[in-house]
Amino acid sequence: MLSTINSQQLLQHYAAGQRLFHRLDCVAASLSGSDLSHASFSEGNFAMASLARTNLSHCHFRRANLEQAFLYGADLSYAKLDHADLTRADLTKVNLQGATLIRAILTEAQLSGAIMRWVTFFMADLQQVNLCGANLTGVNFRGANLTGADLSWTNLSQAKLSGAILKDANLHGARLQEAYLNGVDFRERDFSGLNCAGVLFSGGKGNEMNLVGTNLTGSTLRFTNFQGANFQQACLNEADLQHANLTNANCQGLEAIASNFQRAELVNVDFRDANLQEADFRGANLTGANLAGAQLQGADLRGAKLDRRQIQPAIVGFSSPLETPLAC
């Protein structure tokens, strides 16, 4: 059962040294500008409370109700908000550095301008959340539901998004260098022109993706399904595509120097004019692939499945035919 207390009483108890305020009923409480740091408000009800610019650093709000709370500019650094309900809460310009929001509910919350260093949103519900332009470097979104979230122009470098749901999320202009995207479903998504250098996207679903001009330098794309994806003018230099499936993909004009295509499914891939120098195609299935004008100098095609006639229109430059025995 919740204990009812008004704002003035809460501040008086806090000033007297009390820090444990479990299961308080503070609906619509007015506490803006107060200092309540290091207090515990677990399982309390702060729905529609006014907490703008309040110091809540290191506070505990586990399983608390903060639905529609006004937290503009509040300090929630290193706060514990696991399982808290922040539905439609205003967290604009909030300091969340080091905070944990494991399995928290933030549906339609406003988070623009928030400080997000070292934040954990593991398995959190972030549907329709507004994070436009946020610096999310290294933030933990593993398993989070970001359906319909606005992530446009965000910095997601090194962010942990493995297993996250990003259906209909807006990633326009986002930076994804070295982000963890293993197992994510990006089917039919538009990643054209994005910087995804060093991204880890193994075991993902990239069917029909638009990757025109995308920077995937040094990326790890093992076992990812890219059937029908468009890689025109993309950069895959030194990328690892072992066991990836690029059947019917368009790779015309692709830059893929020293990339690893070992045992990849490359059936009917359009590699016209692609730069595939020193690429590793050992054991790859290149049946029906179009290699016209492709640069294959130094490429390793040992055990690859293709016809010698496919190589004829390519720029091969092999020093000896024995270096690249082909399966005919």
Side-chain angles (χ1 to χ4, degrees):
M1 183 174 179
L2 296 178
S3 301
T4 303
I5 189 172
N6 61 39
S7 302
Q8 185 177 358
Q9 290 172 326
L10 172 57
L11 293 173
Q12 287 173 346
H13 286 303
Y14 183 88
Q18 186 174 340
R19 295 294 181 269
L20 297 178
F21 300 97
H22 294 174
R23 298 182 62 78
L24 283 187
D25 186 355
C26 290
V27 174
S30 179
L31 294 160
S32 293
S34 305
D35 183 356
L36 295 166
S37 61
H38 293 86
S40 178
F41 300 104
S42 296
E43 301 183 49
N45 187 356
F46 289 84
M48 296 178 287
S50 181
L51 297 160
R53 298 186 178 85
T54 303
N55 184 359
L56 299 166
S57 176
H58 294 87
C59 284
H60 286 204
F61 282 97
R62 289 192 176 97
R63 300 187 186 280
N65 181 7
L66 289 152
E67 187 174 355
Q68 297 186 62
F70 183 56
L71 288 148
Y72 180 95
D75 185 354
L76 280 162
S77 57
Y78 303 99
K80 305 298 181 185
L81 292 139
D82 303 339
H83 298 272
D85 187 349
L86 289 141
T87 302
R88 293 187 295 279
D90 189 340
L91 295 154
T92 304
K93 296 187 177 180
V94 164
N95 183 358
L96 282 169
Q97 177 171 305
T100 63
L101 295 101
I102 298 170
R103 296 184 184 275
I105 302 170
L106 294 108
T107 307
E108 298 182 34
Q110 297 296 318
L111 280 156
S112 56
I115 298 171
M116 299 288 217
R117 287 190 296 271
W118 312 311
V119 180
T120 297
F121 288 107
F122 177 76
M123 298 293 289
D125 187 345
L126 292 149
Q127 296 183 68
Q128 309 296 328
V129 73
N130 180 9
L131 285 161
C132 178
N135 183 356
L136 304 171
T137 303
V139 170
N140 185 352
F141 289 107
R142 293 186 190 277
N145 187 350
L146 287 151
T147 300
D150 186 355
L151 297 166
S152 58
W153 304 105
T154 54
N155 185 351
L156 286 160
S157 299
Q158 300 178 359
K160 299 168 180 64
L161 288 148
S162 297
I165 301 170
L166 287 150
K167 183 180 179 182
D168 299 324
N170 183 359
L171 287 158
H172 179 73
R175 295 172 59 188
L176 290 155
Q177 297 99 307
E178 301 180 19
Y180 296 79
L181 297 164
N182 295 325
V184 176
D185 187 345
F186 282 127
R187 284 176 290 184
E188 300 182 11
R189 299 300 300 275
D190 185 1
F191 270 46
S192 57
L194 295 186
N195 189 348
C196 300
V199 71
L200 287 86
F201 186 35
S202 294
K205 296 177 181 178
N207 313 54
E208 308 291 337
M209 280 186 77
N210 181 2
L211 293 155
V212 174
T214 303
N215 183 4
L216 289 158
T217 301
S219 55
T220 302
L221 308 167
R222 297 182 180 186
F223 295 95
T224 299
N225 192 341
F226 285 115
Q227 285 183 289
N230 191 347
F231 285 93
Q232 282 186 293
Q233 306 301 322
C235 183
L236 278 166
N237 291 348
E238 300 181 1
D240 186 351
L241 291 109
Q242 289 189 63
H243 296 281
N245 187 349
L246 279 78
T247 300
N248 296 322
N250 185 350
C251 296
Q252 187 176 6
L254 174 74
E255 286 280 342
I257 299 172
S259 292
N260 187 350
F261 290 94
Q262 285 189 53
R263 295 175 293 282
E265 285 294 327
L266 304 168
V267 178
N268 298 327
V269 173
D270 186 353
F271 278 121
R272 282 178 296 168
D273 304 314
N275 188 345
L276 303 168
Q277 295 180 56
E278 301 179 13
D280 188 346
F281 288 102
R282 285 178 291 172
N285 185 357
L286 284 152
T287 303
N290 187 345
L291 294 163
Q295 299 178 52
L296 289 165
Q297 294 94 330
D300 191 340
L301 288 156
R302 287 177 292 175
K305 187 176 182 180
L306 76 165
D307 194 293
R308 287 183 181 277
R309 288 172 295 184
Q310 292 173 260
I311 294 293
Q312 290 173 356
I315 305 170
V316 291
F318 299 128
S319 59
S320 167
L322 297 176
E323 295 176 10
T324 55
L326 309 179
C328 296

